């Protein structure tokens, strides 16, 4: 019911009847809001992909370290037993990784001074670690490099006659 002076009454309640105006200022800000939201989403996706990539590299590094640690532990055990000790073991380095024994990164010429170190390289980034054993190739004249894949290795110990130092010699016997 229409009452006096443009008021609508219903069950003794009065409500003002007025014309509702349209405010289109939100429509003008819509492209800006969509741009900000899109940019935020793109940054979120980028951060997520970088984080995932870092996580996967960490997993790959841990897998490589687990495999290499097996070889290092065997080498240290052989080294404690002395000259003439031998063992055969298998390791499997993940794709995109490599391991160097008896050297530090970019210092391959400093062998045998760095023979008691090993290095893991993943995606061009290297980390080196110390070892209780000294490592060499079978010719007893330099470090050993292993690329990705399965490796069946023969480890033996020999004393270098020139220095009197005990080395763990690493040679590949071929995969089964």
């Amino acid at each position: 019911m229409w009452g006096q002076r443009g008021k609508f009454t219903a069950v003794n309640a009065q409500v003002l009847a007025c014309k509702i105006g349209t405010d289109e200022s939100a429509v003008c800000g819509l492209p800006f809001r969509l741009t900000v939201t899109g940019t935020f989403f793109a940054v979120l996706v980028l951060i997520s992909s970088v984080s995932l990539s870092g996580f996967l590299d960490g997993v790959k590094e841990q897998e490589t370290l687990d495999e290499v640690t097996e070889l290092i532990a065997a080498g240290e055990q052989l080294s404690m037993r002395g000259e003439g000790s031998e063992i055969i073991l298998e390791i499997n380095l993940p794709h995109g990784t490599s391991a160097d024994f008896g050297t530090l990164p970019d210092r391959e010429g400093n062998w045998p001074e760095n023979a008691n170190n090993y290095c893991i390289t993943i995606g061009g980034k290297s980390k080196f670690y110390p070892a209780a054993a000294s490592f060499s190739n079978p010719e007893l004249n330099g470090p050993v490099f292993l690329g990705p894949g399965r490796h069946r290795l023969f480890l033996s110990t020999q004393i270098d006659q020139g220095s009197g130092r005990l080395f763990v010699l690493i040679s590949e016997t071929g995969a089964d």
Side-chain angles (χ1 to χ4, degrees):
M1 302 173 109
W2 286 101
Q4 305 167 6
R5 297 183 199 153
K7 293 182 182 176
F8 177 74
T9 60
V11 190
N12 295 330
Q14 293 186 351
V15 179
L16 287 174
C18 61
K19 185 177 180 182
I20 299 176
T22 56
D23 182 9
E24 295 187 9
S25 61
V27 174
C28 296
L30 187 60
F32 176 73
R33 289 179 182 159
L34 289 175
T35 303
V36 169
T37 303
T39 303
F40 178 73
F41 183 72
V43 168
L44 186 62
V45 168
L46 179 66
I47 290 172
S48 297
S49 66
V50 168
S51 177
L52 181 62
S53 174
F55 174 75
L56 293 177
D57 282 347
V59 168
K60 191 180 285 190
E61 179 179 351
Q62 189 58 48
E63 287 177 11
T64 305
L65 199 53
D66 289 346
E67 292 290 326
V68 168
T69 300
E70 185 178 334
L71 186 147
I72 296 299
E76 290 173 350
Q77 288 290 322
L78 289 176
S79 185
M80 289 190 319
R81 291 183 189 154
E83 185 175 23
S85 300
E86 299 174 342
I87 191 171
I88 294 176
L89 61 94
E90 284 189 18
I91 64 171
N92 187 13
L93 299 178
H95 178 71
T97 65
S98 65
D100 306 333
F101 301 91
T103 186
L104 294 173
D106 301 324
R107 295 185 184 158
E108 291 81 11
N110 290 347
W111 186 91
E113 291 83 22
N114 295 328
N116 61 336
N117 294 292
Y118 63 99
C119 171
I120 295 173
T121 304
I122 300 171
K125 296 179 184 176
S126 299
K127 287 188 177 181
F128 66 93
Y129 304 90
S134 297
F135 298 98
S136 176
N137 60 27
E139 291 78 32
L140 200 62
N141 63 3
V144 177
F145 306 99
L146 298 176
R150 182 170 301 281
H151 301 276
R152 183 178 170 96
L153 303 172
F154 177 70
L155 279 65
S156 62
T157 54
Q158 182 178 341
I159 294 179
D160 179 34
Q161 298 305 320
S163 66
R165 187 174 184 178
L166 180 69
F167 284 93
V168 175
L169 308 180
I170 302 173
S171 61
E172 289 206 58
T173 62
D176 284 339

